[in-house]
């Protein structure tokens, strides 16, 4: 249930960046120090973003795109009393 809610929030954040039709996967990380859930959706969606979004700026890297998504999630799509913050890890 929680994974589905996170995946839906990620889909909404992707839509803000004009990205659709991405298979969003949310998993539990192997190391608990890395949080409760993880997703590599930014890495997967970056190529589509780079090619199709007018928001792409030359020189952006997947980390930059992941940070954009985290900022969108942290300002608009957090789930009260459930998700406190979203972080990007290198």
């Amino acid at each position: 249930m929680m994974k589905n809610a996170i995946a839906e929030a990620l889909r909404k954040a992707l839509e803000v960046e004009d990205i659709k039709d991405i298979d969003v996967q949310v998993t539990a990380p192997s190391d608990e120090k890395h949080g409760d859930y993880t997703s590599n959706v930014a890495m997967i969606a970056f190529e589509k973003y780079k090619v199709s979004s007018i928001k792409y700026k030359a020189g952006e890297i997947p980390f930059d795109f992941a940070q954009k998504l985290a900022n969108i999630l942290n300002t608009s799509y957090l789930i009260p009393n459930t998700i406190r913050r979203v972080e990007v890890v290198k």
Side-chain angles (χ1 to χ4, degrees), residues 20-43:
K20 296 178 182 159
D21 302 322
I22 297 290
D23 182 28
V24 177
Q25 299 290 318
V26 176
T27 60
S30 56
D31 187 339
E32 289 180 5
K33 291 184 278 185
H34 296 155
D36 297 320
Y37 296 97
T38 187
S39 178
N40 68 343
V41 71
M43 297 295 292

Side-chain angles (χ1 to χ4, degrees), residues 9-23:
L10 284 165
R11 281 187 206 91
K12 288 178 182 178
L14 287 167
E15 286 177 8
V16 170
E17 292 298 321
D18 301 323
I19 304 297
K20 296 178 182 159
D21 302 322
I22 297 290
D23 182 28

Side-chain angles (χ1 to χ4, degrees), residues 67-80:
Q67 193 60 56
K68 278 186 180 184
L69 294 178
N71 291 340
I72 292 166
L73 290 164
N74 282 322
T75 58
S76 301
Y77 296 108
L78 292 185
I79 302 169

Side-chain angles (χ1 to χ4, degrees), residues 46 56-61 64:
F46 180 73
Y56 172 76
K57 293 180 179 75
E60 278 185 286
I61 59 173
D64 299 328

